[in-house]
Amino acid sequence: MPLHAKDAVRDRWVDDVYCSRDSSVAVPKYRFPPHALPADHAYAVVHDELMLDGNARMNLATFCQTWVEPEVHRLMDECIDKNIVDKDEYPQTAEIEARSVHMLADLWNSPAAANTIGCSTTGSSEAAMLAGLALKWRWRDRRRAANQSTERPNLVCGSVQVCWHKFARYFDIELREVPMEPGRYSLTPDKTLRCVDENTIGVVATLGVTFTCQYEPVREICRALDDLAARTGLDVPVHVDAASGGFVAPFLEPELEWDFRLPRVKSINASGHKYGLAPLGCGWVIWREAADLPQDLIFRVDYLGGDMPTFNLNFSRPGGQVMCQYYNFLRLGREGYREVQQACRETATFLAEQIGAFGPFEIVHDGRSGLPAACWKLKPGPHAGNFTLYDLADRLRYHGWQVCAYPLPGLPEVIVQRALIRHGVSRDLVRALVADMCGALVWFRDHPINVPVSNKDGSGFHH
Ligand SMILES: *Cc1c(COP(=O)(O)O)cnc(C)c1O
């Protein structure tokens, strides 16, 4: 090759990714790439594209963990090759998962915490499918035993997360979702009673409603169902979707009875990767007692020498998340979790107070109870600049914050906005958010949106 063939020389001698030939052309996007790339070049392409995503720490729309300790990064790295389903190859991983199940059963006051059954999942969605299937199976067994029809099962709930809609559709269950009403955003005992019948496989109560972050009154719902059972013999089990609340209520409101202290609560799910503080990809479902999970849903795997029950939708699944969950349990204990969640709660309350003080907003949830979060809506207008919460969300996005605005389910006229305060969302970050909200309100006042001239001096905002 002649020396003056500079391109070839350059490719051989210059190792700066951005001077390489690879980066002078676009990589294929939708066709399978014909050639290989050096690892560092391919890495730079992917890494740089990810830069365009939002900053997860500034995403206050998510319930999921966006900050973890360096030790969690290390454990995740050490576990990258561990498949949680290979219980014979990785018996300690299996053992640690089992311990975590019993720790959670203990945290949630199972009367049989040391012996009950449960499993890790990819998140609350898979956990909901498993818990829902158990309810369906138990209902069908009861109906068959009584020689009654097993057609048309239904599930009763309030405004649930989409995973329950999926469960109902995938597994052919009628979802009796009690709609929200103006000013009432939770399932209530009497609404529950109006929906249950002999085909109800169970009632789902949510501890930390996705849309408002409030807790549904699990104990009162259980009491009403106890009363129904006493009056009519209709015995309807309760599942608690504690995706977020399962890792908040035990620490911040230990006296609140929502868990296995209530005999009617037969199963609970939670997302380890939300307030459980594990990295993404960790959920849990626990049954009150082993007998609450029908045996024929369990697949027995005997290749450990012992008898390993498994109940999951997935087969292969990463083990690191569950190991980090266990790390969190050891690292924090009840005391540590309480401190973390308490700090989040105080920051959420601080945020709600600041937002309330702006003037145009009405606080729907201030974090004093329920999840550490703030949720607000606009007071009836007019407001300076005539903005909507969607405009405010856009304006905050301009500063990098993701604070979503959305209508409440079934109440299209009630638009709310919500910020989840998680471990890693500090008081200083929230102060910066408040300052940017303040700036947004000034900006709207000075750049009114479609506002009639006569309305230009709209009131309501002071800062
Ligand atoms: C997030 C959430 C879910 C779904 O959980 P994933 O862990 O994201 O699968 C279900 N229910 C409630 C109440 C939730 O907040």
Side-chain angles (χ1 to χ4, degrees):
M1 183 187 300
L3 254 183
H4 59 263
K6 282 217 179 101
D7 277 355
V9 172
R10 198 177 98 161
D11 258 10
R12 248 181 293 145
W13 295 107
V14 177
D15 55 11
D16 180 323
V17 172
Y18 298 100
C19 300
S20 70
R21 279 197 175 181
D22 299 334
S23 58
S24 68
V25 292
V27 296
K29 298 291 189 297
Y30 303 106
R31 279 178 303 102
F32 203 87
H35 306 298
L37 286 181
D40 54 337
H41 297 192
Y43 174 82
V45 168
V46 179
H47 175 85
D48 288 0
E49 188 157 1
L50 289 177
M51 203 168 63
L52 307 177
D53 272 344
N55 177 341
R57 296 277 302 278
M58 295 172 82
N59 174 6
L60 301 184
T62 184
F63 293 74
C64 292
Q65 200 46 51
T66 50
W67 181 84
V68 294
E69 293 181 312
E71 286 76 7
V72 168
H73 285 275
R74 262 165 50 207
L75 276 173
M76 286 297 279
D77 206 30
E78 290 162 22
C79 290
I80 198 162
D81 52 2
K82 293 214 192 191
N83 189 343
I84 203 164
V85 82
D86 287 342
K87 296 184 195 291
D88 54 348
E89 283 87 349
Y90 314 121
Q92 287 324 112
T93 300
E95 166 66 19
I96 286 175
E97 182 194 11
R99 283 182 210 156
S100 304
V101 163
H102 297 298
M103 285 184 179
L104 284 175
D106 176 45
L107 184 68
W108 298 335
N109 296 296
S110 159
N115 299 309
T116 192
I117 203 163
C119 55
S120 72
T121 59
T122 46
S124 278
S125 302
E126 186 190 359
M129 305 295 150
L130 302 180
L133 283 170
L135 289 176
K136 182 177 180 182
W137 253 241
R138 295 257 312 187
W139 168 81
R140 208 169 51 189
D141 289 348
R142 282 195 304 274
R143 301 283 292 171
R144 277 185 186 146
N147 233 337
Q148 287 165 322
S149 160
T150 56
E151 302 285 300
R152 307 184 54 77
N154 68 66
L155 183 69
V156 173
C157 57
S159 289
V160 279
Q161 209 265 356
V162 65
C163 68
W164 294 103
H165 295 254
K166 287 187 182 175
F167 166 71
R169 195 172 308 167
Y170 295 168
F171 297 104
D172 220 4
I173 310 278
E174 177 199 346
L175 196 66
R176 296 193 175 164
E177 192 176 15
V178 175
M180 290 183 174
E181 285 166 4
R184 184 192 57 75
Y185 306 141
S186 278
L187 185 60
T188 61
D190 52 312
K191 296 270 178 196
T192 307
L193 289 190
R194 255 180 260 170
C195 292
V196 299
D197 62 22
E198 58 184 15
N199 289 327
T200 302
I201 64 171
V203 171
V204 173
T206 304
L207 203 73
V209 174
T210 309
F211 311 98
T212 61
C213 302
Q214 296 165 343
Y215 293 161
E216 289 188 324
V218 186
R219 191 180 59 172
E220 289 68 22
I221 290 168
C222 286
R223 292 264 159 86
L225 290 169
D226 289 346
D227 188 48
L228 179 75
R231 280 188 286 112
T232 67
L234 193 59
D235 197 6
V236 182
V238 168
H239 171 84
V240 182
D241 179 353
S244 298
F247 285 106
V248 177
F251 308 115
L252 294 190
E253 286 164 81
E255 68 296 339
L256 182 73
E257 288 180 18
W258 63 273
D259 55 12
F260 295 126
R261 279 167 286 182
L262 304 168
R264 193 159 291 280
V265 173
K266 300 301 183 196
S267 49
I268 296 172
N269 71 272
S271 296
H273 55 217
K274 292 185 176 174
Y275 287 87
L277 311 179
L280 276 172
C282 181
W284 299 95
V285 55
I286 312 280
W287 283 270
R288 175 186 186 77
E289 296 177 74
D292 291 308
L293 177 59
Q295 287 299 306
D296 58 344
L297 283 172
I298 303 174
F299 287 78
R300 299 227 163 244
V301 179
D302 55 11
Y303 45 56
L304 237 189
D307 185 23
M308 185 61 77
T310 74
F311 180 31
N312 271 114
L313 299 182
N314 300 74
F315 189 67
S316 294
R317 194 156 54 85
Q321 287 83 340
V322 174
M323 297 309 104
C324 291
Q325 179 80 89
Y326 180 68
Y327 161 82
N328 285 328
F329 292 170
L330 296 187
R331 158 93 173 95
L332 294 170
R334 286 179 195 258
E335 188 191 342
Y337 268 100
R338 194 191 60 72
E339 278 173 22
V340 169
Q341 313 303 26
Q342 180 67 27
C344 292
R345 163 164 292 179
E346 285 168 13
T347 300
T349 304
F350 168 79
L351 176 62
E353 278 167 3
Q354 298 289 308
I355 291 174
F358 280 132
F361 305 108
E362 177 185 332
I363 303 301
V364 175
H365 175 77
D366 67 4
R368 280 201 173 79
S369 59
L371 300 181
C375 180
W376 61 95
K377 57 185 183 181
L378 266 180
K379 288 178 185 162
H383 303 292
N386 203 28
F387 68 97
T388 67
L389 292 181
Y390 296 109
D391 298 319
L392 180 57
D394 268 0
R395 199 68 205 152
L396 292 175
R397 184 73 199 253
Y398 172 86
H399 296 282
W401 303 106
Q402 304 196 53
V403 188
C404 56
Y406 51 92
L408 289 180
L411 295 176
E413 68 288 357
V414 185
I415 312 296
V416 299
Q417 197 165 25
R418 179 193 69 183
L420 273 307
I421 306 302
R422 310 175 299 268
H423 197 21
V425 181
S426 65
R427 188 66 65 102
D428 265 338
L429 275 183
V430 164
R431 277 184 183 281
L433 170 67
V434 168
D436 286 336
M437 283 185 87
C438 185
L441 295 178
V442 172
W443 197 87
F444 291 133
R445 187 193 59 199
D446 297 343
H447 305 82
I449 297 165
N450 286 336
V451 69
V453 179
S454 63
N455 212 4
K456 243 194 164 152
D457 280 327
S459 58
F461 166 51
H462 43 90
H463 66 101

PDB file of all heavy atoms in Angstrom, residues 63-64 122-126 161 163-164 206 208 210 241 243-244 269 271 273-274, ligand 1:
ATOM      1  N   PHE A  63     -42.012   6.073  39.496  1.00  0.00           N
ATOM      2  CA  PHE A  63     -41.955   5.570  40.871  1.00  0.00           C
ATOM      3  C   PHE A  63     -40.659   4.787  41.076  1.00  0.00           C
ATOM      4  O   PHE A  63     -40.350   4.374  42.187  1.00  0.00           O
ATOM      5  CB  PHE A  63     -43.100   4.583  41.130  1.00  0.00           C
ATOM      6  CG  PHE A  63     -44.480   5.185  41.107  1.00  0.00           C
ATOM      7  CD1 PHE A  63     -45.095   5.552  39.918  1.00  0.00           C
ATOM      8  CD2 PHE A  63     -45.185   5.358  42.286  1.00  0.00           C
ATOM      9  CE1 PHE A  63     -46.376   6.083  39.909  1.00  0.00           C
ATOM     10  CE2 PHE A  63     -46.472   5.883  42.284  1.00  0.00           C
ATOM     11  CZ  PHE A  63     -47.070   6.254  41.087  1.00  0.00           C
ATOM     12  N   CYS A  64     -39.952   4.553  39.989  1.00  0.00           N
ATOM     13  CA  CYS A  64     -38.842   3.602  40.043  1.00  0.00           C
ATOM     14  C   CYS A  64     -37.557   4.252  40.518  1.00  0.00           C
ATOM     15  O   CYS A  64     -37.345   5.455  40.370  1.00  0.00           O
ATOM     16  CB  CYS A  64     -38.643   2.957  38.676  1.00  0.00           C
ATOM     17  SG  CYS A  64     -40.027   1.888  38.242  1.00  0.00           S
ATOM     18  N   THR A 122     -40.171  -9.903  37.759  1.00  0.00           N
ATOM     19  CA  THR A 122     -39.505  -8.781  37.092  1.00  0.00           C
ATOM     20  C   THR A 122     -40.042  -7.448  37.582  1.00  0.00           C
ATOM     21  O   THR A 122     -39.446  -6.411  37.333  1.00  0.00           O
ATOM     22  CB  THR A 122     -39.707  -8.841  35.573  1.00  0.00           C
ATOM     23  OG1 THR A 122     -41.082  -9.114  35.317  1.00  0.00           O
ATOM     24  CG2 THR A 122     -38.862  -9.910  34.940  1.00  0.00           C
ATOM     25  N   GLY A 123     -41.200  -7.454  38.230  1.00  0.00           N
ATOM     26  CA  GLY A 123     -41.783  -6.214  38.734  1.00  0.00           C
ATOM     27  C   GLY A 123     -43.163  -6.527  39.258  1.00  0.00           C
ATOM     28  O   GLY A 123     -43.562  -7.701  39.325  1.00  0.00           O
ATOM     29  N   SER A 124     -43.909  -5.495  39.596  1.00  0.00           N
ATOM     30  CA  SER A 124     -45.257  -5.731  40.120  1.00  0.00           C
ATOM     31  C   SER A 124     -46.191  -6.276  39.045  1.00  0.00           C
ATOM     32  O   SER A 124     -47.170  -6.944  39.375  1.00  0.00           O
ATOM     33  CB  SER A 124     -45.839  -4.451  40.704  1.00  0.00           C
ATOM     34  OG  SER A 124     -45.359  -4.264  42.016  1.00  0.00           O
ATOM     35  N   SER A 125     -45.905  -5.986  37.785  1.00  0.00           N
ATOM     36  CA  SER A 125     -46.820  -6.464  36.742  1.00  0.00           C
ATOM     37  C   SER A 125     -46.829  -7.988  36.694  1.00  0.00           C
ATOM     38  O   SER A 125     -47.890  -8.604  36.702  1.00  0.00           O
ATOM     39  CB  SER A 125     -46.415  -5.903  35.384  1.00  0.00           C
ATOM     40  OG  SER A 125     -46.422  -4.505  35.436  1.00  0.00           O
ATOM     41  N   GLU A 126     -45.654  -8.595  36.656  1.00  0.00           N
ATOM     42  CA  GLU A 126     -45.619 -10.060  36.666  1.00  0.00           C
ATOM     43  C   GLU A 126     -46.206 -10.576  37.976  1.00  0.00           C
ATOM     44  O   GLU A 126     -46.946 -11.565  37.994  1.00  0.00           O
ATOM     45  CB  GLU A 126     -44.182 -10.579  36.489  1.00  0.00           C
ATOM     46  CG  GLU A 126     -44.144 -12.096  36.353  1.00  0.00           C
ATOM     47  CD  GLU A 126     -42.739 -12.703  36.426  1.00  0.00           C
ATOM     48  OE1 GLU A 126     -41.752 -11.964  36.575  1.00  0.00           O
ATOM     49  OE2 GLU A 126     -42.654 -13.940  36.343  1.00  0.00           O
ATOM     50  N   GLN A 161     -53.596   0.291  38.226  1.00  0.00           N
ATOM     51  CA  GLN A 161     -52.510   0.408  37.266  1.00  0.00           C
ATOM     52  C   GLN A 161     -52.805  -0.526  36.084  1.00  0.00           C
ATOM     53  O   GLN A 161     -53.534  -1.525  36.231  1.00  0.00           O
ATOM     54  CB  GLN A 161     -51.199   0.024  37.974  1.00  0.00           C
ATOM     55  CG  GLN A 161     -49.959   0.700  37.418  1.00  0.00           C
ATOM     56  CD  GLN A 161     -49.230  -0.144  36.384  1.00  0.00           C
ATOM     57  OE1 GLN A 161     -49.611  -1.271  36.125  1.00  0.00           O
ATOM     58  NE2 GLN A 161     -48.175   0.417  35.821  1.00  0.00           N
ATOM     59  N   CYS A 163     -51.409  -2.880  34.728  1.00  0.00           N
ATOM     60  CA  CYS A 163     -51.108  -4.316  34.813  1.00  0.00           C
ATOM     61  C   CYS A 163     -52.372  -5.124  35.109  1.00  0.00           C
ATOM     62  O   CYS A 163     -52.493  -6.270  34.655  1.00  0.00           O
ATOM     63  CB  CYS A 163     -50.012  -4.606  35.831  1.00  0.00           C
ATOM     64  SG  CYS A 163     -50.463  -4.313  37.546  1.00  0.00           S
ATOM     65  N   TRP A 164     -53.330  -4.541  35.839  1.00  0.00           N
ATOM     66  CA  TRP A 164     -54.559  -5.278  36.152  1.00  0.00           C
ATOM     67  C   TRP A 164     -55.477  -5.331  34.940  1.00  0.00           C
ATOM     68  O   TRP A 164     -56.231  -6.286  34.767  1.00  0.00           O
ATOM     69  CB  TRP A 164     -55.249  -4.683  37.377  1.00  0.00           C
ATOM     70  CG  TRP A 164     -54.402  -4.880  38.596  1.00  0.00           C
ATOM     71  CD1 TRP A 164     -53.623  -3.949  39.220  1.00  0.00           C
ATOM     72  CD2 TRP A 164     -54.194  -6.112  39.303  1.00  0.00           C
ATOM     73  NE1 TRP A 164     -52.950  -4.525  40.277  1.00  0.00           N
ATOM     74  CE2 TRP A 164     -53.291  -5.844  40.350  1.00  0.00           C
ATOM     75  CE3 TRP A 164     -54.689  -7.412  39.156  1.00  0.00           C
ATOM     76  CZ2 TRP A 164     -52.864  -6.823  41.239  1.00  0.00           C
ATOM     77  CZ3 TRP A 164     -54.274  -8.388  40.049  1.00  0.00           C
ATOM     78  CH2 TRP A 164     -53.368  -8.091  41.072  1.00  0.00           C
ATOM     79  N   THR A 206     -55.409  -0.968  46.314  1.00  0.00           N
ATOM     80  CA  THR A 206     -54.089  -0.444  45.961  1.00  0.00           C
ATOM     81  C   THR A 206     -53.536   0.416  47.091  1.00  0.00           C
ATOM     82  O   THR A 206     -54.208   1.333  47.567  1.00  0.00           O
ATOM     83  CB  THR A 206     -54.169   0.389  44.666  1.00  0.00           C
ATOM     84  OG1 THR A 206     -54.739  -0.427  43.637  1.00  0.00           O
ATOM     85  CG2 THR A 206     -52.790   0.842  44.226  1.00  0.00           C
ATOM     86  N   GLY A 208     -51.197   2.990  47.430  1.00  0.00           N
ATOM     87  CA  GLY A 208     -50.407   3.917  46.621  1.00  0.00           C
ATOM     88  C   GLY A 208     -50.954   3.937  45.207  1.00  0.00           C
ATOM     89  O   GLY A 208     -50.354   3.368  44.282  1.00  0.00           O
ATOM     90  N   THR A 210     -51.705   4.795  41.605  1.00  0.00           N
ATOM     91  CA  THR A 210     -50.829   5.356  40.586  1.00  0.00           C
ATOM     92  C   THR A 210     -51.132   6.832  40.293  1.00  0.00           C
ATOM     93  O   THR A 210     -50.216   7.618  40.098  1.00  0.00           O
ATOM     94  CB  THR A 210     -51.031   4.551  39.285  1.00  0.00           C
ATOM     95  OG1 THR A 210     -50.894   3.176  39.602  1.00  0.00           O
ATOM     96  CG2 THR A 210     -50.026   4.939  38.234  1.00  0.00           C
ATOM     97  N   ASP A 241     -52.356  -4.564  46.022  1.00  0.00           N
ATOM     98  CA  ASP A 241     -51.316  -4.090  45.113  1.00  0.00           C
ATOM     99  C   ASP A 241     -50.562  -2.990  45.855  1.00  0.00           C
ATOM    100  O   ASP A 241     -50.988  -1.838  45.889  1.00  0.00           O
ATOM    101  CB  ASP A 241     -51.936  -3.561  43.814  1.00  0.00           C
ATOM    102  CG  ASP A 241     -50.866  -3.031  42.857  1.00  0.00           C
ATOM    103  OD1 ASP A 241     -49.689  -2.957  43.262  1.00  0.00           O
ATOM    104  OD2 ASP A 241     -51.226  -2.686  41.704  1.00  0.00           O
ATOM    105  N   ALA A 243     -47.507  -1.975  45.199  1.00  0.00           N
ATOM    106  CA  ALA A 243     -46.330  -1.768  44.341  1.00  0.00           C
ATOM    107  C   ALA A 243     -45.366  -0.780  44.979  1.00  0.00           C
ATOM    108  O   ALA A 243     -44.172  -1.053  45.115  1.00  0.00           O
ATOM    109  CB  ALA A 243     -46.766  -1.277  42.967  1.00  0.00           C
ATOM    110  N   SER A 244     -45.900   0.364  45.405  1.00  0.00           N
ATOM    111  CA  SER A 244     -45.038   1.354  46.066  1.00  0.00           C
ATOM    112  C   SER A 244     -45.212   1.315  47.575  1.00  0.00           C
ATOM    113  O   SER A 244     -44.240   1.336  48.330  1.00  0.00           O
ATOM    114  CB  SER A 244     -45.359   2.759  45.549  1.00  0.00           C
ATOM    115  OG  SER A 244     -45.109   2.850  44.167  1.00  0.00           O
ATOM    116  N   ASN A 269     -48.470  -7.806  46.434  1.00  0.00           N
ATOM    117  CA  ASN A 269     -47.336  -7.606  45.525  1.00  0.00           C
ATOM    118  C   ASN A 269     -46.682  -6.262  45.808  1.00  0.00           C
ATOM    119  O   ASN A 269     -47.337  -5.341  46.307  1.00  0.00           O
ATOM    120  CB  ASN A 269     -47.778  -7.659  44.054  1.00  0.00           C
ATOM    121  CG  ASN A 269     -48.589  -6.451  43.635  1.00  0.00           C
ATOM    122  OD1 ASN A 269     -49.817  -6.438  43.779  1.00  0.00           O
ATOM    123  ND2 ASN A 269     -47.922  -5.427  43.125  1.00  0.00           N
ATOM    124  N   SER A 271     -43.191  -3.653  44.204  1.00  0.00           N
ATOM    125  CA  SER A 271     -42.082  -3.481  43.254  1.00  0.00           C
ATOM    126  C   SER A 271     -40.815  -3.205  44.042  1.00  0.00           C
ATOM    127  O   SER A 271     -40.667  -2.131  44.630  1.00  0.00           O
ATOM    128  CB  SER A 271     -42.355  -2.308  42.300  1.00  0.00           C
ATOM    129  OG  SER A 271     -43.478  -2.548  41.490  1.00  0.00           O
ATOM    130  N   HIS A 273     -38.147  -2.512  42.782  1.00  0.00           N
ATOM    131  CA  HIS A 273     -37.420  -1.428  42.096  1.00  0.00           C
ATOM    132  C   HIS A 273     -38.092  -0.066  42.241  1.00  0.00           C
ATOM    133  O   HIS A 273     -37.670   0.891  41.619  1.00  0.00           O
ATOM    134  CB  HIS A 273     -37.210  -1.772  40.610  1.00  0.00           C
ATOM    135  CG  HIS A 273     -38.462  -2.093  39.867  1.00  0.00           C
ATOM    136  ND1 HIS A 273     -38.514  -3.068  38.901  1.00  0.00           N
ATOM    137  CD2 HIS A 273     -39.712  -1.611  39.938  1.00  0.00           C
ATOM    138  CE1 HIS A 273     -39.731  -3.142  38.400  1.00  0.00           C
ATOM    139  NE2 HIS A 273     -40.486  -2.267  39.027  1.00  0.00           N
ATOM    140  N   LYS A 274     -39.160   0.012  43.049  1.00  0.00           N
ATOM    141  CA  LYS A 274     -39.705   1.338  43.358  1.00  0.00           C
ATOM    142  C   LYS A 274     -39.168   1.723  44.743  1.00  0.00           C
ATOM    143  O   LYS A 274     -37.952   1.811  44.894  1.00  0.00           O
ATOM    144  CB  LYS A 274     -41.231   1.310  43.276  1.00  0.00           C
ATOM    145  CG  LYS A 274     -41.713   1.108  41.824  1.00  0.00           C
ATOM    146  CD  LYS A 274     -43.224   1.186  41.694  1.00  0.00           C
ATOM    147  CE  LYS A 274     -43.642   1.071  40.235  1.00  0.00           C
ATOM    148  NZ  LYS A 274     -45.122   0.993  40.099  1.00  0.00           N
TER     149      LYS A 274
HETATM  150  C1  LIG B   1     -45.894   0.581  39.135  1.00  0.00           C
HETATM  151  C2  LIG B   1     -47.139  -0.095  39.545  1.00  0.00           C
HETATM  152  C3  LIG B   1     -47.477  -1.344  39.019  1.00  0.00           C
HETATM  153  C4  LIG B   1     -46.613  -2.028  37.985  1.00  0.00           C
HETATM  154  O1  LIG B   1     -45.385  -2.324  38.560  1.00  0.00           O
HETATM  155  P1  LIG B   1     -44.072  -2.633  37.711  1.00  0.00           P
HETATM  156  O2  LIG B   1     -43.099  -2.943  38.794  1.00  0.00           O
HETATM  157  O3  LIG B   1     -43.748  -1.395  36.962  1.00  0.00           O
HETATM  158  O4  LIG B   1     -44.365  -3.784  36.823  1.00  0.00           O
HETATM  159  C5  LIG B   1     -48.623  -1.946  39.476  1.00  0.00           C
HETATM  160  N1  LIG B   1     -49.405  -1.353  40.380  1.00  0.00           N
HETATM  161  C6  LIG B   1     -49.127  -0.140  40.908  1.00  0.00           C
HETATM  162  C7  LIG B   1     -50.035   0.456  41.931  1.00  0.00           C
HETATM  163  C8  LIG B   1     -47.974   0.531  40.503  1.00  0.00           C
HETATM  164  O5  LIG B   1     -47.671   1.726  41.026  1.00  0.00           O
END
